[in-house]
Amino acid sequence: MFLLSHEEAIQMNTAFGERVKRIRQERNWSQQELSLRSGISTPHISSIERGKRFPSLDYARKMADALGVGLLALCDESVVLRPPKMRTSAEELPVHLQNFVLNEDAELYLNAAHRMSTLPREDADLLCLVIDLLSQTRLQAFE
């Protein structure tokens, strides 16, 4: 069993909260905006950012998802943070993508895309190549 000393636990809480706060501020989001996007109360987010509370695994995932980063990026200080640029609204997307996102059948693909977004770039590029090959094979089968 892995146990942390009291000092290590405080240091981990502080580091996690600082990383959440830094990404949130890079996005120019208030704590309330992160609260709305994650479903976690504003006071709870505040206490996490100040290192007073450590989130449950569920809350940590919700925060990572809302911020658009992998959970590891919030937990491991050795991971270089490169949060993706995020649009402020779905209306900024081209119309065909807006329609796709709103289609209930798209949820499977959107979840897969979200999981891909947390992978290292090389792995995501490889998966895109595999998808392209599968698409080409399917198109050739119909010709």
Side-chain angles (χ1 to χ4, degrees), residues 19 64 69-79 81:
R19 290 170 80 80
V69 298
L71 182 56
L72 188 59
L74 294 179
C75 298
D76 186 350
E77 291 185 46
S78 68
V79 173
L81 283 175

Side-chain angles (χ1 to χ4, degrees), residues 125-139:
D125 290 344
L126 177 63
L127 283 173
C128 287
L129 285 173
V130 169
I131 292 168
D132 288 343
L133 287 171
L134 282 171
S135 297
Q136 290 173 8
T137 303
R138 297 284 185 201
L139 286 174

Side-chain angles (χ1 to χ4, degrees), residues 7 27 34 36 60 77:
E7 292 79 23
R27 300 220 181 297
L34 180 55
L36 291 170
E77 291 185 46

Side-chain angles (χ1 to χ4, degrees), residues 1 10 20 27 30 33 39 49 74 83 94-95 121 123 142:
M1 183 175 203
I10 290 171
V20 167
R27 300 220 181 297
S30 64
E33 178 70 19
E49 287 186 355
L74 294 179
V95 173
R121 185 67 189 187
D123 293 347
F142 289 114

Side-chain angles (χ1 to χ4, degrees), residues 46-123:
S46 175
S47 63
I48 289 169
E49 287 186 355
R50 290 181 287 119
K52 301 298 181 195
R53 298 181 78 171
F54 196 72
S56 66
L57 181 57
D58 182 49
Y59 273 23
R61 281 192 179 130
K62 286 180 178 184
M63 293 175 90
D65 287 348
L67 292 166
V69 298
L71 182 56
L72 188 59
L74 294 179
C75 298
D76 186 350
E77 291 185 46
S78 68
V79 173
V80 177
L81 283 175
R82 289 190 191 100
K85 292 185 178 179
M86 294 181 70
R87 299 172 191 275
T88 57
S89 166
E91 284 134 16
E92 294 178 28
L93 294 170
V95 173
H96 72 280
L97 290 178
Q98 289 180 36
N99 290 335
F100 178 76
V101 168
L102 295 173
N103 182 335
E104 289 181 10
D105 294 335
E107 189 170 348
L108 172 70
Y109 304 105
L110 294 170
N111 283 326
H114 175 70
R115 288 193 307 273
M116 278 181 61
S117 73
T118 64
L119 295 174
R121 185 67 189 187
E122 303 82 35
D123 293 347

